[in-house]
Amino acid sequence: MDMILSQLVAGVSVGSILLLAAVGLALTFGQMGVINMAHGEFIMVGAYTAFVLQGIFGHAGISLIVALPLAFLVGGLLGVLLEQVLIRHMYHRPLDTLLATFGVGIILQQLARDLFGAPAVDVRTPSWLQGSVELLGTAVPVSRIFILGLVIAVVAGLSAMMTWTSLGRRIRAVVLNRSLAETSGISTRSTDRLTFFIGSGLAGVAGVTITLIGSTSPTLGMSYIVDAFLVVVAGGIGKIKGAVIAAFSLGILQAFIEFSTTASIAKFLVLVIVVAFLQIRPQGLFSVRTRSLA
Amino acid sequence: MTTITPAERGTLARIRRVGAGPDLPRPSRAFLGIGLLAVGLMVLAPMLLTDFRLNQLGRFICYAIVAVGIGLAWGRGGMLTLGQGVFFGLGAYAMAMHMQLADAQLQGEQAPGFMSTFGTELPWWWEPFRSELFTLGAVLLLPAVVAFVLGWSVFTRRVKGAYFAILNQALVFAFAVLLVGQQGTLNGSNGLSGFQSFLGFSLYDPVNRRTLYLLAAGVLILMVVIAYWLMRSRFGELLVATRDAEERVRFLGYDPALIKTTAFVVAAVMASIGGALFVPLVGIISPAEIGVVPSIAFVIGVAIGGRATLFGPVIGALAVAWVESSLAESFPSAWSYFQGLLLILVIALLPGGVASVLRVTQVRRRRRDAEDDGGSGGLHDDGAGGGSADGPETAPGDSPAGPPVAAVLGWEQKGEQ
């Protein structure tokens, strides 16, 4: 029983990181149906933002609190720039956006390598996030609980925005039927831009939180992007609910398989399970019912 | 059949003239190109290059062999295969295991050296790789089976486009992670290296190394010939038709899943052959050689060269690999910027790749003075559209005149019966 509970806690912890990395991607992927491979590099940019701020402030607690909103801003602006310059010209060609944004990712990675060096750097964890607490018979690091809380706040905020604000309604309308939304007077251009701002900003936030559990290197984004895509695909495009369930399922699944095998075999099996799952539900957990004939 | 639109008539006229599906050179020109490639790689290069450079070219040739397969699956079939590293790795590791066992046997030992360092016994699944025949079979069949299972299960459920690309990428990621984890049996992230002989011939002998290079070059030429033969066949036409209008192909009574799976399997086997030749030429295979980044690098050469053309993938792969190693020798960081920028520019501005520059101007000139073609719509969309169209819903802008090849197919089919 203790074993199950501790794996459950570990799985939820992995899932919360997955969800943070994937939630922004789910938003931008759903919006235009294009794949932003540079999303992982936006996460990396967020992590380096935290690193730079730590150098400026010195105090780990203050720099973390400043880093969260600033990384959102930096990531968001990068996303808008990318959308404006590249993605909007190619949204009929989703596979080509994948390659083109991968090119952007290569450049950002190299930029990070030239600016901060190839070896990984560390961001100090504030004292109030150090240590661990006893939870269901397992010692859980406080930073992990902080990340879980942050994810809950992000998802709640995002759901509230999608449900109640006019921007959220505009986003949902464009995801459901772009041309009908356009005909109804919604500016799809500005909706696209805002969606990319928020989605990419969330990548920046994810980057800051990832510094709490590991070191930061130029290839940080690469190690999260594949998992993030799997979460989005398994959850169903354009559905936050799907991303939440998929992220925690995959996290818990991985924790449990890892317990009986090794980390690498667990990763492999999780992928096989996702592929098998897509056989049953090709559209993911939750599919957006559209009126288009796709 | 019923009436044929002017655009379709235009494509028809072209297909009659060229004798095959769109974008393919005439047989005479194709064989001229293949001949030039063969002379360049098998006669001129060994004459002009030092042993070191020739070996380097051999490595690029392995990438080019992978690229031929990607050109078929992605350029002709519209399936962005981001996970060719899996198949490259299957071929490479099969060959590497065989060579390790052969070397161990020469030294009178049972297991490769690294295993004793980790204190592992020779696992049972290494044992069959002692046989050359089994290894050859594994290089050819193992990727085919994996690609068939993956392709068939994914394509029958009509998973396509971006989803297929992501699944592929996830697969290669998981594969690399799996290999890194096999510390005791496959030497983990260090990979397999330190080979001394290949099929009994010493790898230290320069003559043997030259022969090995010629073997690789010969295999590349053979793969190009096979690709050309496949592209010209009915299967090749169906593949392009599936890329451009999967639903229409289905309505005509063909099974798009089978067509796409076949192309995917062929691409996988080609990647595996490239991997199997890579090991004796380069002397090492490790998870770093086949992960997410190398898998995308395979695609980059194809994209830059021209994904839907016959020679574009080969020339692109060779050129990109050559520029990479010459740039990386002097400016390691410049290459990354250059690669990223080149990828963005080619994909955004020239989706057909560098090879399409010639075609785009050709089509423009032809459109200006060809009245007998009837219409220009059909000419235009197969030029710049490349392989990006992965279904009617995602590519309305790419094919303004509708998919001409599918229409032609139906028409041709009736003519034959």
Side-chain angles (χ1 to χ4, degrees):
Chain A
M1 197 57 202
D2 272 3
M3 186 280 278
I4 294 181
L5 284 178
S6 65
Q7 294 309 308
L8 209 59
V9 171
V12 168
S13 171
V14 173
S16 59
I17 307 269
L18 280 183
L19 183 56
L20 254 182
V23 71
L25 196 65
L27 205 62
T28 52
F29 195 6
Q31 176 72 7
M32 289 166 90
V34 298
I35 299 177
N36 179 14
M37 280 293 283
H39 193 84
E41 273 61 49
F42 291 172
I43 295 178
M44 184 250 323
V45 168
Y48 275 109
T49 308
F51 175 71
V52 170
L53 283 179
Q54 169 187 274
I56 295 172
F57 288 100
H59 188 286
I62 297 173
S63 79
L64 175 67
I65 289 172
V66 180
L68 285 172
L70 192 71
F72 183 83
L73 200 67
V74 173
L77 290 177
L78 271 176
V80 172
L81 189 72
L82 183 68
E83 197 272 342
Q84 187 73 18
V85 174
L86 204 61
I87 293 179
R88 75 184 167 111
H89 299 292
M90 313 177 68
Y91 85 94
H92 287 305
R93 301 189 275 147
L95 290 183
D96 285 357
T97 30
L98 194 161
L99 287 174
T101 51
F102 186 78
V104 176
I106 295 176
I107 292 176
L108 285 176
Q109 265 185 39
Q110 190 56 44
L111 208 60
R113 216 169 276 136
D114 286 349
L115 288 176
F116 303 102
V121 295
D122 271 314
V123 179
R124 283 195 311 280
T125 309
S127 54
W128 44 276
L129 284 179
Q130 283 166 4
S132 54
V133 290
E134 191 86 356
L135 199 75
L136 300 173
T138 335
V140 185
V142 180
S143 55
R144 294 275 182 170
I145 296 175
F146 174 78
I147 293 173
L148 185 62
L150 191 76
V151 175
I152 294 173
V154 163
V155 171
L158 209 58
S159 310
M161 184 200 81
M162 294 293 270
T163 321
W164 289 307
T165 66
S166 71
L167 173 64
R169 281 193 289 272
R170 284 212 309 263
I171 292 176
R172 280 186 290 148
V174 174
V175 170
L176 280 171
N177 190 330
R178 177 171 282 269
S179 36
L180 185 59
E182 181 123 40
T183 324
S184 318
I186 292 172
S187 165
T188 50
R189 281 295 314 123
S190 70
T191 312
D192 286 343
R193 221 174 291 141
L194 277 167
T195 317
F196 264 80
F197 180 74
I198 297 170
S200 308
L202 290 177
V205 172
V208 176
T209 53
I210 283 169
T211 63
L212 293 176
I213 56 162
S215 47
T216 303
S217 73
T219 53
L220 174 83
M222 284 304 300
S223 44
Y224 283 95
I225 190 76
V226 176
D227 281 333
F229 271 126
L230 276 190
V231 167
V232 175
V233 169
I237 308 305
K239 283 284 187 184
I240 294 175
K241 188 167 65 174
V244 171
I245 296 178
F248 285 112
S249 316
L250 291 187
I252 292 169
L253 199 64
Q254 184 157 338
F256 272 94
I257 302 177
E258 206 171 311
F259 184 77
S260 41
T261 58
T262 66
S264 59
I265 293 181
K267 194 122 227 169
F268 191 73
L269 285 179
V270 166
L271 171 87
V272 172
I273 292 171
V274 171
V275 174
F277 171 74
L278 287 175
Q279 300 303 304
I280 308 164
R281 292 193 66 96
Q283 302 302 318
L285 273 175
F286 298 97
S287 54
V288 180
R289 288 190 186 82
T290 69
R291 284 175 174 277
S292 65
L293 289 168
Chain B
M1 219 152 94
T2 51
T3 50
I4 300 172
T5 68
E8 285 164 357
R9 194 176 299 130
T11 317
L12 256 184
R14 254 187 86 237
I15 286 174
R16 281 200 206 101
R17 196 167 56 235
V18 180
D23 291 37
L24 273 185
R26 282 180 204 100
S28 57
R29 279 204 195 167
F31 284 109
L32 181 70
I34 290 169
L36 284 177
L37 199 66
V39 169
L41 291 179
M42 300 185 76
V43 180
L44 291 182
M47 269 165 44
L48 299 175
L49 296 179
T50 61
D51 280 354
F52 172 73
R53 292 286 168 200
L54 197 66
N55 192 250
Q56 209 173 25
L57 185 61
R59 178 160 61 93
F60 305 162
I61 283 177
C62 296
Y63 299 146
I65 294 173
V66 184
V68 174
I70 296 178
L72 192 73
W74 181 39
R76 297 255 127 193
M79 294 165 269
L80 179 50
T81 48
L82 279 186
Q84 291 306 85
V86 172
F87 307 115
F88 187 81
L90 284 176
Y93 269 92
M95 182 59 83
M97 281 157 72
H98 170 69
M99 288 168 70
Q100 290 267 345
L101 285 174
D103 283 354
Q105 210 150 23
L106 279 182
Q107 287 155 3
E109 284 176 31
Q110 265 305 304
F114 73 88
M115 283 193 188
S116 50
T117 339
F118 291 107
T120 21
E121 295 282 305
L122 193 71
W124 58 269
W125 43 271
W126 269 71
E127 213 48 69
F129 286 97
R130 286 192 194 283
S131 146
E132 284 96 356
L133 211 62
F134 181 87
T135 307
L136 186 69
V139 166
L140 298 177
L141 290 180
L142 203 62
V145 170
V146 174
F148 182 81
V149 170
L150 183 76
W152 184 251
S153 64
V154 160
F155 293 133
T156 45
R157 296 298 298 172
R158 304 192 192 178
V159 173
K160 55 184 171 184
Y163 297 85
F164 176 71
I166 291 169
L167 280 182
N168 254 312
Q169 191 172 40
L171 188 69
V172 80
F173 180 62
F175 184 59
V177 170
L178 191 69
L179 286 174
V180 171
Q182 297 299 309
Q183 190 66 255
T185 51
L186 289 172
N187 209 11
S189 55
N190 293 324
L192 303 176
S193 61
F195 309 104
Q196 282 143 32
S197 66
F198 178 62
L199 303 176
F201 295 100
S202 165
L203 283 175
Y204 297 113
D205 187 345
V207 178
N208 288 347
R209 295 185 71 88
R210 285 192 160 235
T211 317
L212 193 58
Y213 163 83
L214 287 177
L215 175 72
V219 170
L220 173 65
I221 306 292
L222 180 70
M223 291 302 140
V224 174
V225 172
I226 291 177
Y228 183 63
W229 171 71
L230 277 175
M231 286 173 184
R232 270 180 61 87
S233 68
R234 165 147 301 236
F235 164 75
E237 290 186 10
L238 282 168
L239 187 62
V240 175
T242 308
R243 178 191 78 192
D244 291 342
E246 192 165 335
E247 287 308 313
R248 283 207 215 181
V249 173
R250 204 189 309 280
F251 293 151
L252 289 169
Y254 295 100
D255 183 0
L258 189 64
I259 297 165
K260 288 165 103 175
T261 307
T262 310
F264 186 51
V265 167
V266 173
V269 173
M270 286 188 178
S272 174
I273 293 173
L277 287 167
F278 181 87
V279 171
L281 274 163
V282 181
I284 181 171
I285 185 71
S286 72
E289 238 73 59
I290 59 184
V292 172
V293 177
S295 294
I296 291 189
F298 289 141
V299 169
I300 291 176
V302 177
I304 289 170
R307 59 183 90 156
T309 57
L310 179 63
F311 294 110
V314 176
I315 308 287
L318 290 176
V320 169
W322 177 72
V323 174
E324 172 171 10
S325 33
S326 43
L327 256 185
E329 273 167 22
S330 32
F331 318 96
S333 82
W335 165 247
S336 294
Y337 292 120
F338 184 70
Q339 185 188 33
L341 208 62
L342 199 65
L343 190 60
I344 297 169
L345 289 178
V346 168
I347 295 289
L349 304 177
L350 206 64
V354 176
S356 72
V357 175
L358 204 71
R359 274 189 50 80
V360 169
T361 49
Q362 237 176 22
V363 167
R364 278 212 191 108
R365 199 186 56 218
R366 206 180 290 162
R367 194 191 295 163
R368 215 181 303 128
D369 55 29
E371 291 292 329
D372 60 310
D373 267 344
S376 56
L379 274 181
H380 176 71
D381 70 333
D382 56 33
S388 60
D390 60 336
E393 77 275 17
T394 51
D398 278 355
S399 40
V405 186
V408 169
L409 269 173
W411 191 80
E412 274 191 343
Q413 210 182 9
K414 192 157 185 196
E416 267 189 9
Q417 279 163 1

